[in-house]
């Protein structure tokens, strides 16, 4: 009883002593809850990207069809999808360019009106892509949609932030996804899909993408495997396009840490031997792969800068989408010129894309 | 309670600015009113409006202010936390110790081992399953459980820590573990 009373009085004294600190905390509380209230009343409710997808056999997942929704990125943005689940106002049949990729192809983070697939009416762009896709899933979509790609310009987005690494992984978080595996005896790569099912992957692991990207920017065991796998996948894509009379162009997308000098220092610091770090190492390897197959390749880092990416998000902002739309327009123009000239003579060299 | 996300989204920062400017306007309005009277309020409104326009025109200013505000909030929360802990240890426990009352908790020694037997299942069947900790009783909040424990163990005086625990809880910040992983799986 005595302890109870002593504790009660000392607690009262302690609470009285805290009052000035509580008053001092008021501005912080007001700002925090004011921010929350403003967000609640001025922004529509956005859904995370995982609510925009559904299971797709073999491929893992795809966007839901006929969406008219608000999604969450660095801000809430509005998106719609067609009856097949793809973004872009053009249809696949009526498109001039088909862009295949991941969240960059999906245009994650910007409204429909700012999405590169919709900002220009000079060319019709259809995008086949979704968050989290690796190149294996993209190749499988190319195979599945092959008959509808005839005669088109196929632009394949390769994002260095995670694509090359995740080609080698059987899962993305709890989601099972196809991957490539190397046969050590024959040295051939194969696509593995038999583990893909709606059941959650039992042991999702937290990925450190930046550490992996740092490895991909230098000659490491991972980068050697990743570029070898990439060569296999690009050759598969090339073969599909060749059979359909479509022209494949590869467009490589750097992570912002590969172009921002400040972030590049942090990326470089993740390597034990930072002297081998080269932010252009992925582009050199992919260019070599593409040149060996006669595939045009464009490095987005030659066209977009830091200010074309979002703050606090790896995707392009509205200005970046405008520039990508212009880039695609130029690519299509070159594609048309090559087609026109090839109707008279066979080109001796691979089209040069600046 | 007072801390904002250290890695905010763009929309969070955009909504932070009007909330911050209004808060600043209210505080400055109060101070200027005391000094200049009603004209101080007009002055405060003018400053608030100009500040808002500056933030809208130059977003980098907003990001900078946000970063500094978050740092200040972290620092304030740390001081607040330390102060509360000091009160608990050096005021309440000391007070309970006056008159030679022992502040030690009355705890009955466990009669047997506190190890729980493992279920009779093979390792494979445990993969992917949630851990087999005893579930919390349904319907009891943590405060209720604490009070029940204090009463049943003869330490009812310990309930006077509750207001301080309630203040401490929102001031603790669990930052996500950003330690780099150096292991990746080979397939």
């Amino acid at each position: 009883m005595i302890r109870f009373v002593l504790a009660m009085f000392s607690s009262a004294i302690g609470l009285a002593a805290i009052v000035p600190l509580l008053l001092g905390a008021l501005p912080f509380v007001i700002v925090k809850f004011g921010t929350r209230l403003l967000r609640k009343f001025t922004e529509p409710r956005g859904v995370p990207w995982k609510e925009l997808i559904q299971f797709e056999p073999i491929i893992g997942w795809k966007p839901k069809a006929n969406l008219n929704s608000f999604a969450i990125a660095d801000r809430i943005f509005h998106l719609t999808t067609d009856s097949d689940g793809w973004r872009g106002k053009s249809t696949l049949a009526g498109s001039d360019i088909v862009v295949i990729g991941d969240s960059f192809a999906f245009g994650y983070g910007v409204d429909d009106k700012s999405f590169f697939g919709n900002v220009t009416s000079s060319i019709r762009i259809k995008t086949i892509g979704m968050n989290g896709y690796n190149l294996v899933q993209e190749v499988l979509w190319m195979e599945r949609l092959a008959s509808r790609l005839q005669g088109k310009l196929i632009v394949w987005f390769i994002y260095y932030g995670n694509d090359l690494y995740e080609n080698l992984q059987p899962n993305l978080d709890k989601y099972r996804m196809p991957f490539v595996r190397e046969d050590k005896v024959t040295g051939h790569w194969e696509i593995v899909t038999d583990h893909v099912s709606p059941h959650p992957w039992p042991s999702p692991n937290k990925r450190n993408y930046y550490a992996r990207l740092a490895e991909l920017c230098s000659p490491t065991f991972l980068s050697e495997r990743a570029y070898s796998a990439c060569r296999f996948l690009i050759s598969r894509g090339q073969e599909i396009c060749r059979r359909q009379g479509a022209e494949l162009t590869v467009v490589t997308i750097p992570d912002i840490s590969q172009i921002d000098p400040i972030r590049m220092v942090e990326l470089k610091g993740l390597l034990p031997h930072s002297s081998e770090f080269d932010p252009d190492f992925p582009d050199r390897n992919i260019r070599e792969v593409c040149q060996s197959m006669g595939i045009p390749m464009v490095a987005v880092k030659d066209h977009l800068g830091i200010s074309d990416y979002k703050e606090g998000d790896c995707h392009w902002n509205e200005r970046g989408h405008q520039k990508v739309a212009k880039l695609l327009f130029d690519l299509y123009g070159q594609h048309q010129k090559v087609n026109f000239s090839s109707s008279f003579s066979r080109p001796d060299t691979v089209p040069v894309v600046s | 309670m007072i801390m904002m996300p250290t890695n905010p989204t763009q929309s969070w920062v955009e909504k932070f600015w009007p909330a911050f400017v209004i808060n600043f306007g209210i505080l400055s309005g109060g101070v200027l009113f005391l000094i200049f009277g009603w004209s101080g309020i007009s002055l405060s409104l003018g400053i608030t409006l100009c500040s808002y326009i500056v933030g809208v025109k130059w977003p980098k200013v907003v990001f900078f202010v946000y970063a500094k505000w978050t740092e200040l909030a972290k620092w304030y929360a740390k001081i607040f936390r330390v102060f509360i802990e000091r009160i608990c240890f050096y005021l309440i426990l000391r007070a309970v110790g006056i008159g030679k009352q022992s502040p030690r908790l009355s705890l009955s020694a466990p009669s047997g081992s506190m190890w729980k037997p493992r279920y009779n299942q093979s390792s494979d069947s445990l993969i992917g399953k949630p851990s087999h900790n005893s579930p919390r009783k349904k319907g009891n909040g943590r405060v209720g459980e604490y009070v029940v424990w204090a009463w049943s163990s003869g330490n009812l005086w310990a309930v006077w820590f509750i207001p301080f625990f309630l203040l401490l809880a929102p001031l603790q910040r669990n930052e996500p573990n950003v330690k780099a992983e150096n292991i990746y799986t080979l397939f």
Side-chain angles (χ1 to χ4, degrees), chain A residues 336-352:
Chain A
Q336 292 291 77
K337 279 184 201 163
V338 168
N339 279 351
F340 184 73
S341 66
S342 70
S343 67
F344 293 97
S345 62
R346 194 183 172 82
D348 293 323
T349 55
V350 168
V352 173

Side-chain angles (χ1 to χ4, degrees), chain A residues 2-8 10-15 17-18 20-36 38-39 42-43 72-76 165 168-171 179-182 189 201-202 205-208 211-212 215 221-222 225 270 310-312, chain B residues 1-4 8-12 14-16 18-20 23 26-27 60 63 69 72-73 76 79-80 83-84 87 91-93 95-98 101-106 127-128 154-161 163-164 167 176-187:
Chain A
I2 296 173
R3 291 194 299 178
F4 184 86
V5 170
L6 287 170
M8 180 177 74
S10 57
S11 170
I13 295 168
L15 285 171
I18 278 174
L21 276 175
L22 276 173
L23 288 173
L26 264 182
F28 298 104
V29 173
I30 291 171
V31 168
K32 179 169 180 178
F33 286 102
T35 307
R36 274 201 179 155
L38 278 171
R39 289 186 74 213
T42 61
E43 283 177 1
I72 302 169
D74 61 326
R75 56 166 45 159
I76 306 294
Y165 171 62
L168 308 171
Q169 304 300 314
N171 70 298
F179 67 105
V180 287
R181 176 171 63 194
E182 191 181 18
W189 289 90
W201 186 250
N205 55 334
K206 200 171 164 106
R207 302 250 166 95
N208 190 335
R212 302 291 86 79
E215 288 184 65
F221 176 66
L222 173 63
R225 290 187 75 236
L270 294 172
K310 289 172 171 285
E311 290 273 355
Chain B
M1 187 166 88
I2 68 174
M3 288 185 285
M4 309 268 272
T9 60
Q10 175 96 358
S11 75
W12 187 278
E14 281 173 4
K15 302 300 180 285
F16 156 80
F20 173 81
N23 181 53
I26 292 170
L27 282 175
K60 284 206 185 294
F63 275 96
W69 183 257
L72 188 64
Y76 195 87
I79 291 179
F80 207 155
F83 193 76
I84 291 174
I87 287 176
L91 184 64
I92 300 176
L93 280 179
V96 170
I98 289 171
Q101 298 293 321
S102 168
R104 287 178 186 276
L105 295 172
S106 308
I127 291 172
N155 295 297
L156 196 57
W157 64 269
V159 300
W160 293 109
F161 282 126
F164 301 96
L167 282 170
N177 184 4
V178 292
K179 193 174 164 191
E181 289 175 15
N182 292 314
I183 300 168
Y184 60 88
T185 310
L186 297 175
F187 289 93

Side-chain angles (χ1 to χ4, degrees), chain B residues 17 42 44 54 56-57 70 85 92 96-97 106 110 121 129 134 136 153-154 161-162 164 171 175 181-182 187:
Chain B
W17 187 241
S42 318
S44 164
V54 162
V56 168
K57 191 121 172 67
T70 314
E85 286 164 7
I92 300 176
V96 170
S106 308
Q121 294 178 20
K129 295 227 168 92
S134 52
R136 206 200 320 237
S153 61
F161 282 126
I162 291 176
F164 301 96
L171 293 172
E175 290 286 355
E181 289 175 15
N182 292 314
F187 289 93

Side-chain angles (χ1 to χ4, degrees), chain B residues 3-180:
Chain B
M3 288 185 285
M4 309 268 272
T6 45
N7 286 317
T9 60
Q10 175 96 358
S11 75
W12 187 278
V13 177
E14 281 173 4
K15 302 300 180 285
F16 156 80
W17 187 241
F20 173 81
V21 161
I22 290 170
N23 181 53
F24 173 75
I26 292 170
L27 282 175
S28 62
V31 169
L32 290 172
F33 175 73
L34 290 171
I35 302 171
F36 299 114
W38 289 107
S39 53
I41 302 263
S42 318
L43 183 61
S44 164
L45 273 172
I47 295 171
T48 304
L49 194 60
C50 289
S51 306
Y52 181 72
I53 292 168
V54 162
V56 168
K57 191 121 172 67
W58 292 286
K60 284 206 185 294
V61 169
V62 178
F63 275 96
F64 176 78
V65 171
Y66 183 92
K68 292 303 166 197
W69 183 257
T70 314
E71 242 177 81
L72 188 64
K74 246 196 234 176
W75 174 83
Y76 195 87
K78 189 175 177 184
I79 291 179
F80 207 155
R81 231 173 21 240
V82 168
F83 193 76
I84 291 174
E85 286 164 7
R86 294 278 189 273
I87 287 176
C88 290
F89 283 117
Y90 295 116
L91 184 64
I92 300 176
L93 280 179
R94 277 273 173 90
V96 170
I98 289 171
K100 299 188 179 23
Q101 298 293 321
S102 168
R104 287 178 186 276
L105 295 172
S106 308
L107 293 171
S108 54
S111 55
S113 168
M114 294 177 80
W115 285 99
K116 291 188 170 106
R118 182 181 149 164
Y119 291 80
N120 288 331
Q121 294 178 20
S122 63
S123 303
D124 289 340
S125 59
L126 291 174
I127 291 172
K129 295 227 168 92
S131 63
H132 294 286
N133 294 327
S134 52
R136 206 200 320 237
K137 286 179 202 162
K138 230 177 178 177
N140 285 343
R142 289 189 178 187
V143 173
E145 277 182 18
Y146 180 79
V147 171
V148 164
W149 165 80
W151 173 270
S152 57
S153 61
N155 295 297
L156 196 57
W157 64 269
V159 300
W160 293 109
F161 282 126
I162 291 176
F164 301 96
F165 291 163
L166 290 175
L167 282 170
L168 264 180
L171 293 172
Q172 304 281 356
R173 185 171 189 105
N174 293 322
E175 290 286 355
N177 184 4
V178 292
K179 193 174 164 191

